[in-house]
Amino acid sequence: MEGAWGRILHPLQLTDSGRPQLFPGEVECQLLDGIDLELEGQQQQQQQLQPLRSGVLTLTTHRLLWVDEPHQRSGASVPLAAVCRVYPPKKSIKAIFASPRIRIQVWYASDGRISAVGADRSVVLTLVCRGQANIDSFLGRLEQVLQSKAWETDKASAPGSSSVILPPNSSRLPGAAASNSHASHSKWNPAMAGVSGILRKEQEQWEEADKNLQDAFHDLNALMAKAKDMVVLAEKIRSKLLGGSGGQSMVDEEEPGSKQEMQDWLLSVGITSPVTKESAGALYHQQLSRQLADFVKVPLQRSGGMLAMVDAYCLFNRARGTELISPEDLLQACSIWEKLDVPFRMRKFDSGVLVIQSKEDSDGQVFAKLVILIKTPEALKVGISASDAARAFGMAPALAKEYLLTAENQGCFLLKGYYAGMMEQMVFVSLQTCLKILW
Amino acid sequence: MRRRPGISGLQTAAATRDQYRSLGENVAKIRTDLMMEQLSIFRSQLEEFARKHKNDIRKSPAFRAQFHSMCAKIGVDPLASNKGFWAELLGIGDFYYELGVQIVNVCLSTRPHNGGLIDLEELRGLLSKQRRSSRDPITDDDCLRAISKLKALGSGFEVFSVGNRKLVRSVPTELNKDHNQILEIAQARGYVTSEEVQVSLMWHSGRVIDTLETLMKEGLAMVDDGHPDGIRRFWFPCVGSTSGAVEAGSELSS
């Protein structure tokens, strides 16, 4: 975001497919379509600001993100920490005919940038909702997010204050536990000294962790309240029982294959903010398509530039956790890629097999290789078959045949005919050879 | 500790060290046991929550992210819908979709061993292990129904019968590299037998038969039953005849 707005709002990084990049721990809550951003009052005149027109607004647990809609190439953000008040749209007769306006009062610092720290003045940002969005549910979400203040807990947990429920690291010597930060700020107590003291303290910590566990799983609300601690505990258990050297993995003895299983899981959940129908509304398929494009890059590389649609379906859904998408939604997301500027496409083979393919490994490259192959001296005499191409390029014969047939359709070379009495053994020769025979 | 001279001093020091060590080992042992216990509580509770409160979990994006990360770390499958009455009767609801994702997952993770071909029975066994929390057992019919939901994603993922066994194929022909390996073997003499392939590539028989049959359907192989020893041979007229082109091609690709 450049110009005057760039001085006021915070920058926003976008992914390759044009979705906002989130902070670690930041989660997307809701999207709104067709949002104009305006600044109210003197500020606007002073800085000669043109309103930002029809973008996509994303509410996350930490920020409000605005992305330029048609191009999805630039964006800006407002930290929620700087928000001091939200005014819902006015309910008057006049307002019925105009687009609803949500007014948000935010703090800004002396350099003119919206900020929570060192701010003494405030300004009103107006969101003009031109889309058919559900304003009420957005306001509800915004209020929830503002109340939960996720940005504060994130900062607080950074220096390690979340270690309260944790036992000391088992890889250390027992004596080292005393230097644990947990101990250092508690008052010195003779009962806690010596080996027995360390053991007692350890015991207490375990009991506390146990109690925490029981409390947390009492009901859903309790779990929600303690979710952060539980994530830390889960991580701790995981690294203790599975992460360390092979000698410590007690899990294997009881349940063979369990260690392997857990490692499989580690790779699975990867998308913290899956696009859902609920959060994205009308933008669902378009945003899903972008998210899929961001996601599919790595698995596609791993599988050599072509990924079966069924595999992609599984991997993508695994990464989304409980938010399953249906096969139909996946296909729709892939078909939208044509309109977006993404380096992948969906391809359907004659056999009915669907794959995702990166545009870089386009047919053109393969054709060029085929043309070189077909011009080798031997091939000029007898032509090449699908299996020759398959072995030369290290691809499946069926795929090679597909490429040869497509290349033939495009006139790169000609199908010579069925070879040696075999029903479907096709041989391809170059145009040059054909011309030689004809002339 | 005060230092004492002489051999007895050294012995005492060694004994003390041993004592500390055994104490430390004990503590470590207890700690691991406790942790195992916590792990199992954690697991069973998470599984129960995933099943009971699915819709509530989905309502709050922030909590959902935390819940997923717990599941991932502890090794709990967050997909745990029960089959329920409607799913059983009409095939609606999340159950079959979830099962579908889990089936493909099993196929993906076993692919290095079996080349994308798995016995339906083995598949079901692995699934039940993964879904241990779920009360209703999974039947073959459930698997077939779940796989049929994947039809929209194109052909290539299918169930077929070999003898009285049912096999699930997860790699479409276009992406199957097994064929190339058989072609490599065939290059030596122009033909292969299924035993030969089985021995030299260490595949199970279902995989060999499936690959050879696909090659036949693709028109790359011919069957020869006329040999005196009665063993079926698969001839590959395509390999060998244009070896020059292949060599040139392999230079090209390298």
Side-chain angles (χ1 to χ4, degrees):
Chain A
M1 187 81 14
E2 286 133 28
W5 279 104
R7 285 197 295 278
I8 298 169
L9 302 175
H10 288 243
L12 174 65
Q13 298 287 327
L14 297 177
T15 64
D16 291 344
S17 72
R19 273 175 54 78
Q21 259 177 17
L22 304 182
F23 297 139
E26 188 177 11
V27 181
E28 224 173 71
C29 295
Q30 191 152 18
L31 283 86
L32 281 185
D33 192 11
I35 300 287
D36 291 0
L37 216 55
E38 287 172 12
L39 213 56
E40 250 176 43
Q42 299 167 342
Q43 275 265 332
Q44 174 139 12
Q45 282 136 29
Q46 268 172 26
Q47 310 228 14
Q48 295 175 339
L49 277 178
Q50 293 297 316
L52 295 172
R53 290 282 177 213
S54 67
V56 174
L57 187 84
T58 311
L59 171 69
T60 75
T61 48
H62 293 53
R63 295 178 292 175
L64 277 170
L65 315 172
W66 187 89
V67 179
D68 188 16
E69 165 49 31
H71 319 296
Q72 300 247 346
R73 281 291 160 259
S74 64
S77 65
V78 177
L80 287 179
V83 173
C84 55
R85 221 178 144 182
V86 177
Y87 304 92
K90 284 178 199 139
K91 292 215 169 31
S92 66
I93 295 181
K94 205 176 130 199
I96 292 172
F97 300 103
S99 306
R101 302 165 82 88
I102 302 171
R103 295 162 70 239
I104 297 174
Q105 195 174 13
V106 290
W107 297 107
Y108 72 98
S110 47
D111 62 352
R113 193 181 286 274
I114 292 172
S115 161
V117 262
D120 47 1
R121 281 167 291 179
S122 72
V123 70
V124 174
L125 265 178
T126 310
L127 310 174
V128 187
C129 312
R130 302 199 181 279
Q132 306 285 322
N134 186 351
I135 309 291
D136 290 335
S137 89
F138 176 79
L139 284 171
R141 269 277 149 77
L142 180 59
E143 199 172 322
Q144 264 177 26
V145 169
L146 284 172
Q147 269 173 6
S148 70
K149 294 190 196 290
W151 58 91
E152 278 183 5
T153 51
D154 258 22
K155 262 178 209 148
S157 67
S161 63
S162 58
S163 67
V164 182
I165 59 157
L166 298 176
N169 197 332
S170 70
S171 62
R172 291 187 203 163
L173 292 169
S179 66
N180 186 310
S181 65
H182 179 71
S184 58
H185 56 71
S186 64
K187 224 167 64 184
W188 187 78
N189 178 352
M192 287 300 186
V195 175
S196 63
I198 292 163
L199 293 182
R200 195 175 306 140
K201 188 147 61 61
E202 175 131 308
Q203 171 114 26
E204 275 169 21
Q205 281 172 348
W206 273 113
E207 277 163 11
E208 200 183 335
D210 250 353
K211 193 166 160 291
N212 253 319
L213 197 60
Q214 305 225 327
D215 287 354
F217 283 103
H218 192 257
D219 62 21
L220 191 68
N221 289 333
L223 183 61
M224 280 172 142
K226 283 190 181 270
K228 203 166 180 73
D229 291 343
M230 287 297 113
V231 171
V232 178
L233 181 64
E235 174 64 47
K236 201 82 184 173
I237 291 180
R238 182 188 176 80
S239 64
K240 285 277 174 57
L241 292 179
L242 304 164
S245 54
Q248 274 199 340
S249 54
M250 303 296 210
V251 183
D252 283 18
E253 293 167 20
E254 285 187 21
E255 231 180 308
S258 159
K259 182 172 180 178
Q260 177 61 36
E261 197 178 301
M262 282 176 80
Q263 273 160 356
D264 288 346
W265 281 101
L266 184 65
L267 304 168
S268 58
V269 176
I271 299 174
T272 32
S273 303
V275 173
T276 64
K277 277 189 179 125
E278 203 181 26
S279 74
L283 292 169
Y284 177 60
H285 282 114
Q286 189 240 49
Q287 290 292 324
L288 189 68
S289 178
R290 292 176 192 277
Q291 188 164 52
L292 181 63
D294 284 334
F295 171 78
V296 88
K297 202 194 282 172
V298 176
L300 201 57
Q301 262 171 7
R302 217 178 280 156
S303 65
M306 202 177 270
L307 187 65
M309 194 57 83
V310 178
D311 297 2
Y313 173 71
C314 171
L315 294 172
F316 191 49
N317 266 326
R318 272 309 189 195
R320 292 168 57 89
T322 51
E323 298 289 349
L324 281 194
I325 61 166
S326 70
E328 289 75 20
D329 283 341
L330 181 75
L331 292 185
Q332 191 146 2
C334 288
S335 61
I336 295 176
W337 279 348
E338 282 168 29
K339 288 177 224 154
L340 308 173
D341 180 27
V342 294
F344 313 108
R345 66 193 181 108
M346 176 165 67
R347 176 174 183 159
K348 186 166 191 168
F349 290 117
D350 288 342
S351 59
V353 171
L354 282 169
V355 295
I356 292 174
Q357 191 182 19
S358 73
K359 278 186 186 160
E360 289 164 22
D361 303 311
S362 65
D363 295 359
Q365 270 185 355
V366 181
F367 292 163
K369 278 202 228 162
L370 278 175
V371 168
I372 298 174
L373 183 66
I374 211 165
K375 282 185 180 156
T376 51
E378 191 73 16
L380 282 176
K381 268 184 245 154
V382 292
I384 54 170
S385 68
S387 57
D388 296 334
R391 281 187 294 151
F393 300 149
M395 60 172 70
L399 183 60
K401 188 170 111 189
E402 192 82 30
Y403 274 123
L404 280 164
L405 285 173
T406 322
E408 195 225 346
N409 275 337
Q410 299 194 351
C412 290
F413 38 76
L414 293 180
L415 173 62
K416 189 175 166 191
Y418 297 107
Y419 169 73
M422 291 201 60
M423 276 308 288
E424 288 176 44
Q425 178 66 47
M426 289 168 282
V427 176
F428 297 81
V429 293
S430 75
L431 270 176
Q432 250 180 332
T433 322
C434 269
L435 290 175
K436 259 188 228 156
I437 296 167
L438 284 175
W439 290 108
Chain B
M1 195 197 317
R2 196 185 300 137
R3 233 180 102 190
R4 296 196 200 125
I7 291 173
S8 72
L10 287 175
Q11 279 168 344
T12 324
T16 323
R17 228 179 4 251
D18 276 352
Q19 270 179 359
Y20 276 128
R21 191 183 301 128
S22 72
L23 183 66
E25 276 164 7
N26 261 340
V27 171
K29 170 100 180 52
I30 293 167
R31 188 189 285 134
T32 318
D33 288 351
L34 278 169
M35 222 167 226
M36 285 303 304
E37 201 177 302
Q38 287 192 343
L39 179 70
S40 69
I41 297 174
F42 215 139
R43 252 194 198 160
S44 59
Q45 296 280 18
L46 268 184
E47 278 163 1
E48 203 177 317
F49 270 65
R51 200 168 54 237
K52 272 194 199 153
H53 301 286
K54 191 166 105 190
N55 290 327
D56 296 312
I57 288 167
R58 285 162 74 164
K59 265 182 207 144
S60 158
F63 177 64
R64 182 187 59 206
Q66 286 167 323
F67 189 80
H68 286 170
S69 110
M70 274 185 253
C71 284
K73 280 173 182 142
I74 290 298
V76 170
D77 194 333
L79 302 179
S81 288
N82 282 329
K83 202 190 303 176
F85 176 67
W86 292 112
E88 176 98 61
L89 198 65
L90 301 171
I92 52 171
D94 288 341
F95 175 75
Y96 286 111
Y97 286 105
E98 292 186 358
L99 193 59
V101 171
Q102 285 165 334
I103 286 175
V104 185
N105 199 18
V106 169
C107 289
L108 277 175
S109 58
T110 55
R111 201 175 281 175
H113 318 299
N114 59 23
L117 207 60
I118 191 170
D119 206 303
L120 190 60
E121 208 142 298
E122 189 188 343
L123 176 71
R124 194 163 47 98
L126 290 170
L127 276 176
S128 322
K129 221 173 100 194
Q130 199 173 342
R131 297 175 63 100
R132 72 205 128 186
S133 68
S134 173
R135 264 164 266 146
D136 0 275
I138 294 179
T139 63
D140 281 355
D141 183 52
D142 289 336
C143 292
L144 295 180
R145 270 174 117 163
I147 289 171
S148 74
K149 296 255 175 207
L150 301 172
K151 277 280 178 298
L153 298 168
S155 60
F157 197 99
E158 55 202 353
V159 186
F160 61 100
S161 306
V162 173
N164 53 2
R165 291 192 311 164
K166 279 202 164 71
L167 292 176
V168 180
R169 184 194 291 129
S170 64
V171 184
T173 323
E174 275 81 355
L175 301 180
N176 197 330
K177 299 257 170 77
D178 283 0
H179 302 152
N180 296 34
Q181 286 177 273
I182 288 190
L183 287 179
E184 286 303 322
I185 298 177
Q187 216 175 355
R189 286 178 299 175
Y191 72 89
V192 294
T193 65
S194 64
E195 286 81 23
E196 235 172 62
V197 177
Q198 220 168 313
V199 170
S200 60
L201 295 175
M202 313 254 274
W203 292 351
H204 59 78
S205 60
R207 185 172 175 186
V208 176
I209 291 167
D210 181 53
T211 315
L212 285 172
E213 275 182 1
T214 317
L215 284 168
M216 242 163 66
K217 266 183 228 148
E218 287 284 318
L220 295 176
M222 292 168 95
V223 177
D224 173 15
D225 279 338
H227 204 267
D229 60 9
I231 299 169
R232 176 175 278 200
R233 284 164 164 67
F234 292 85
W235 285 89
F236 293 84
C238 51
V239 294
S241 62
T242 54
S243 53
V246 173
E247 271 162 32
S250 53
E251 274 166 35
L252 193 87
S253 60
S254 64

